[in-house]
Amino acid sequence: MAASSRAQVLSLYRAMLRESKRFSAYNYRRIRDAFRENKNVKDPVEIQTLVNKAKRDLGVIRRQVHIGQLYSTDKLIIENRDMPRT
């Protein structure tokens, strides 16, 4: 993988992890597993295809974060982990 390509992929990976942590319903392990699964891809065309797909996925995550912030609700009592259990 070319250096610029590697830097682009790493930057995209970090951005996806950062955004996914802001979206509580998203499992960031899916991102990690997908990137690890494709880490040995050498074909530049396939790499670019995967990068484009990841960019689309990042856009989806960002939209979901934004929508989640617009329509946020208070946690239910059963979701509150700070309360002591009886």
Side-chain angles (χ1 to χ4, degrees), residues 24-57:
S24 62
Y26 197 82
N27 186 347
Y28 68 91
R29 282 175 276 181
R30 291 172 52 193
I31 295 168
R32 184 190 63 207
D33 292 345
F35 273 82
R36 283 184 180 168
E37 181 180 311
N38 294 307
K39 75 177 183 178
N40 295 321
V41 174
K42 303 289 184 209
D43 180 25
V45 174
E46 188 175 353
I47 290 171
Q48 192 58 48
T49 301
L50 291 167
V51 166
N52 291 339
K53 181 184 181 311
K55 285 180 180 179
R56 284 191 310 269
D57 292 346

